[in-house]
Amino acid sequence: MKRLFLLISLLVLSKFSAQTWATEDQYIQKFAQYAVEEMEKYKIPASITLAQGLLETGGGQSRLALEGKNHFGIKCKEDWSGKTMKHTDDAPNECFRVYEDPRQSYEDHSIFLATRKYYTGLFNLDMKDYKAWANGLKKAGYATNPRYASILIGKIERYKLYEFDNTSSKEVLYAVLRMYPDLKDDRSFMARLEPGKMVKKAAPVTVNVPYKQTSFAQQEKRVERIKTKAEILNSILIKSHPNDGLKYIVIPEDTNVQFIANKFKVSESRLTKWNELESDVLKKNDIVFLESKNSDGNTATYKVTPGEDMHDIAQKFGIKLHKLYAKNRMDEGQQPSPGQLMYLIDKKPRN
């Protein structure tokens, strides 16, 4: 009897193990097309999107995915006017978005990454470098799990999801078929693959779309602005400062330290230290040095113009802020007056 019970237990366990494996493969077969379509529109690697979907839905089996068609755990924020559901995640009974179709969930995930300042630096990465994207997401705070990046990379490599980074929306189903050749016997999949076998679409009906027309248009415009902004930021050139040729740049559009650090391969901590920054926000026309500034300026004195503070002057002349304070016998935090004469090389004479 014990032997029979053990045998039954092993069979049950093997069944559940196989079912779990099949569930993730079925998820890939069903949603790879969405991930590739989003990659073409928003330049987010399909492998990353698909791995995140796999992870966050448990292969499509999570409550949010099954009941809310919400594959990325997107919560009810900002101007969401669609259906909602309560679900316990970081806190009890949080509000999550409910979609009419999973495709809308994939679209929202793309918009979320493309329109949040925390993820700006990701779009400076090679779109086919899934490891850099996985680590970039973790560094930007997408998830709290310290192993988040390695988990994503593990799924991408286990299921060869990187293959989808090298395909197009027109070819993606053929890529799926190459990965799963047994699908040639699956009528529903082959109907998707061969246009001549597609099931006739039902007549269009009126539905309540979970997006406001105005808010969707605003989102589209915002995404276009972000794409334009990314192009401007990617065109930044390194300049040579008159103060001993120090390397610096001028910020053409509002951005953050992380983006500049990723672009110029410099650590965020060094950029912050070299430029005496108090936050990670960088404004248009800010001067940012890519190396440590000097202890002296490149001119003897300078008259302060209205609106300038000590940090502005330190950046303008490539001099360390604490040295500027010391040379002018000023307390740190004290600000100059318009027209005040600032000493940049020698120390201000005593009165």
Side-chain angles (χ1 to χ4, degrees), residues 10-252:
L10 289 172
L11 287 172
V12 170
L13 286 172
S14 64
K15 179 181 178 181
F16 276 114
S17 177
Q19 183 179 3
T20 301
W21 180 86
T23 296
E24 293 210 322
D25 287 305
Q26 288 167 6
Y27 186 94
I28 294 165
Q29 294 161 15
K30 187 172 183 179
F31 297 109
Q33 184 170 2
Y34 294 175
V36 172
E37 288 172 355
E38 293 304 304
M39 176 176 69
E40 291 180 339
K41 288 187 289 184
Y42 293 95
K43 311 304 179 187
I44 299 167
S47 59
I48 287 291
T49 301
L50 206 49
Q52 287 186 292
L54 274 172
L55 177 60
E56 297 197 29
T57 66
Q61 301 305 300
S62 71
R63 178 171 174 258
L64 282 175
L66 293 173
E67 297 180 21
K69 298 182 175 61
N70 186 334
H71 286 229
F72 300 93
I74 299 178
K75 298 177 182 178
C76 310
K77 294 181 179 179
E78 300 173 351
D79 57 353
W80 178 253
S81 60
K83 296 178 181 178
T84 64
M85 64 183 286
K86 297 293 184 181
H87 180 72
T88 298
D89 188 39
D90 297 324
N93 293 322
E94 291 183 282
C95 182
F96 287 85
R97 300 182 182 189
V98 171
Y99 300 94
E100 298 292 331
D101 188 288
R103 189 186 297 271
Q104 294 166 338
S105 175
Y106 271 73
E107 175 86 11
D108 243 11
H109 169 261
S110 297
I111 292 173
F112 179 83
L113 291 182
T115 58
R116 296 305 194 278
K117 67 177 183 178
Y118 315 107
Y119 308 114
T120 305
L122 293 173
F123 295 88
N124 191 44
L125 300 174
D126 183 346
M127 198 171 68
K128 294 184 180 180
D129 190 346
Y130 62 86
K131 291 183 179 179
W133 271 79
N135 285 297
L137 280 166
K138 176 64 187 76
K139 189 175 182 180
Y142 188 91
T144 56
N145 187 337
R147 296 187 59 251
Y148 187 75
S150 61
I151 292 171
L152 286 186
I153 292 169
K155 287 194 178 293
I156 290 170
E157 294 181 344
R158 176 182 178 184
Y159 294 107
K160 299 181 179 179
L161 302 183
Y162 46 76
E163 297 288 350
F164 297 116
D165 296 338
N166 299 299
T167 189
S168 67
S169 56
K170 293 181 180 179
E171 299 292 329
V172 60
L173 293 181
Y174 292 98
V176 172
L177 186 59
R178 285 194 298 272
M179 294 172 70
Y180 301 98
D182 289 347
L183 283 173
K184 66 180 183 298
D185 299 322
D186 187 312
R187 289 186 178 183
S188 62
F189 179 82
M190 294 306 291
R192 292 169 61 198
L193 186 66
E194 301 175 28
K197 294 184 179 180
M198 291 294 287
V199 178
K200 186 177 180 181
K201 293 182 179 179
V205 295
T206 302
V207 296
N208 293 321
V209 181
Y211 295 102
K212 288 182 179 178
Q213 290 183 353
T214 53
S215 66
F216 181 77
Q218 289 169 353
Q219 285 179 325
E220 289 287 288
K221 288 180 180 178
R222 189 177 180 193
V223 169
E224 286 303 315
R225 285 198 303 270
I226 287 170
K227 288 179 180 177
T228 302
K229 177 180 175 180
E231 291 170 359
I232 293 172
L233 289 170
N234 282 325
S235 67
I236 301 174
L237 297 177
I238 298 176
K239 299 183 180 183
S240 180
H241 197 275
N243 190 350
D244 287 343
L246 291 170
K247 291 188 294 184
Y248 78 102
I249 58 172
V250 177
I251 303 299

